[in-house]
Every structure is written in C-alpha cells, then in structure tokens.
Amino acid sequence: MMKFISWNVNGLRAADNKGFREIFRDFDADFFCVQETKLREGQIDMQFDGYKSWWDYADRPGYSGTAIFSRHEPLSVKYGIGVDVHDHEGRAVTLEYPDFFLVCVYTPNSQDGLARLPYRMDWENCFLEYVKSLDCLKPVIICGDLNVAHKEIDLANPKANRQSAGFSDEERNAFSRLLDAGFTDSFRHLHPDTTQVYSWWSYRGRAREKNVGWRIDYFVVSRRLAERISVADIHCDIKGSDHCPVELILND
C-alpha cells in the first residue's frame, strides 16, 4: 500500500503558521505533494524525519511553486515539463520510481476574463504530451491543483460560472482529453455520483462555511492503475489554505 497526499497550500510560510507541520505528520503519507509554495530557494527550512524533498521554484518571487516530500528515494527527478516557455513558473516536479512516475503539478490559472486562456491552452497541450510520453514508459500518477472543475457536479454553481476561469469549455475539454489519453480521475472512479464535495472555496462571501466550492484538486492516474485505487478522499475538514488536501491510496 502507498499513501499520497496533495495540497495547494496557498503560500507554504502562511500554511506553516496554521499547523502545516502537524497536519503533515498526522497524514503519515509516503508522498506529500504541495502546490503554490510561493517560495524562493532557501526561504524556508522545512525538513521531516524520514523524508527528502524536491522543489521547483518560480523565477518570479512569491509566485507559484511546487514540491514533493517523499520517504522513497527516486531513480530520477525532473523539474518542469521540458518546454522553456512553461518552465519558469515552478509548476511541476516529477519523481521516477521503478514502477511509476509521480508528477506534482500546479496548472496555470486562466485569470479573470480568461485573460490567460491562450497560455493555459498551450500549457494543456504541452502537459498532455509530457505525461503521455511518461505513460509510454510506465504508469503515471498526476496530482495537484489542475485549476478546472471538470463536470457540473464538480462545483456548486455551474450555471453562474459557465465560461469563468476554471469552468470554461476549453479547460474542461482539455481535462477530458487527458482522461481520453488513458488516465482516470481517481475520486470519480470511486465516487462517480458524489455531490457537494469540493477542494477549493473562495475567501469571499463565507463560501467555505456555506460549502460553495469547486473540486479542482486531483489525483489522476494511468488507467492501468485504476484497479489499485483503494482510497480517493478529499479532506474538507482540514483548514490552513483556501484549498484542502486530497488523498490517494494505491494497493500493492
């Protein structure tokens, strides 16, 4: 059995002041992936007994950033997705293991008015090609904030948010293309009809208190791993960020 956790912490230093280290230890995961660290190298000293960590930093200070803490030494580590225009924002860390690749990713936000949608769509195309190239070699586990609610069931107010960032047709279709390329949304695999379970809530309008949220944080796995998924949970009760942690457990 292997346990994976993924969490967009919306600033690791801020999350650290809200109990991140205790939450980390309580999960007792094999792999703990974080997004939106908002750090430059050397800005935090965060080490856990039995874990090593790998960090992808953005060129721009206080922006984006991803990291993986792991109990298991990888065969190789890659930062970014191998496309220069997309590899300066600290958006991806890939660890290779004998039987799988683990990709921690923070997908670009399309922003208000879909101002960054063209960049986002180019990212989607490049990222899809990247994970398909990995999947040709061995199974892939993709986790992180993918900044899209795939179906109407995945957000509280689908009609009001149609063509908003994170729920545009273009972004939703890109997620469908990922699944069609041989990948499985682990949460929907186990919970196909579950409603009102979200992983992100706006800080405005007491959205979290009212559970007016979006499911935009995922574990997406190569389809040939789907039969090994035993747990795919969303830990809505855990605070410390505007996102909550998501979990995957794979049987051996």
Side-chain angles (χ1 to χ4, degrees), residues 122-237:
D122 189 62
W123 161 276
E124 293 282 6
N125 292 334
C126 294
F127 184 73
L128 178 58
E129 290 307 309
Y130 175 63
V131 295
K132 283 167 60 179
S133 71
L134 298 179
D135 189 53
C136 288
L137 303 174
K138 61 185 79 172
V140 183
I141 300 162
I142 303 162
C143 69
D145 176 0
L146 301 188
N147 258 317
V148 61
H150 185 214
K151 301 287 189 181
E152 290 193 355
I153 194 175
D154 295 316
L155 73 167
N157 292 318
K159 289 184 173 59
N161 286 289
R162 178 78 192 279
Q163 287 304 101
S164 297
F167 199 59
S168 69
D169 293 345
E170 294 88 344
E171 292 162 309
R172 296 169 66 195
N173 289 339
F175 191 88
S176 294
R177 288 197 303 274
L178 175 63
L179 300 185
D180 290 343
F183 293 90
T184 297
D185 175 350
S186 62
F187 183 78
R188 284 291 169 228
H189 180 72
L190 293 190
H191 312 283
D193 303 312
T194 298
T195 61
Q196 298 181 328
V197 178
Y198 309 119
S199 66
W200 174 80
W201 304 261
S202 170
Y203 281 129
R204 301 177 209 157
R206 294 170 30 227
R208 190 159 191 169
E209 180 183 333
K210 299 174 183 177
N211 198 30
V212 180
W214 300 51
R215 188 176 74 93
I216 60 175
D217 300 87
Y218 296 85
F219 276 96
V220 175
V221 304
S222 294
R223 197 169 294 152
R224 57 199 186 277
L225 292 178
E227 63 184 19
R228 293 176 53 190
I229 300 170
S230 64
V231 172
D233 276 349
I234 298 175
H235 293 274
C236 306
D237 57 320

Side-chain angles (χ1 to χ4, degrees), residues 30-155:
D30 293 281
F31 303 90
F32 199 114
C33 302
V34 292
Q35 303 89 43
E36 211 170 355
T37 58
K38 298 184 178 179
L39 292 170
R40 301 292 292 275
E41 188 169 4
Q43 286 189 307
I44 198 167
D45 181 14
M46 183 168 284
Q47 301 177 48
F48 297 96
D49 289 344
Y51 291 86
K52 289 187 177 181
S53 59
W54 295 267
W55 305 68
D56 191 19
Y57 303 101
D59 294 353
R60 173 179 159 190
Y63 182 71
S64 189
T66 49
I68 301 177
F69 297 83
S70 174
R71 283 180 165 145
H72 308 279
E73 187 74 30
L75 300 176
S76 69
V77 181
K78 181 172 181 177
Y79 303 98
I81 59 173
V83 180
D84 184 69
V85 69
H86 296 303
D87 284 349
H88 294 273
E89 296 188 354
R91 295 197 175 272
V93 181
T94 301
L95 303 187
E96 180 187 5
Y97 290 92
D99 299 323
F100 64 92
F101 291 99
L102 174 61
V103 182
C104 171
V105 61
Y106 177 38
T107 301
N109 190 299
S110 293
Q111 300 182 349
D112 289 345
L114 301 179
R116 213 183 187 203
L117 185 62
Y119 177 85
R120 164 70 177 266
M121 287 299 100
D122 189 62
W123 161 276
E124 293 282 6
N125 292 334
C126 294
F127 184 73
L128 178 58
E129 290 307 309
Y130 175 63
V131 295
K132 283 167 60 179
S133 71
L134 298 179
D135 189 53
C136 288
L137 303 174
K138 61 185 79 172
V140 183
I141 300 162
I142 303 162
C143 69
D145 176 0
L146 301 188
N147 258 317
V148 61
H150 185 214
K151 301 287 189 181
E152 290 193 355
I153 194 175
D154 295 316
L155 73 167

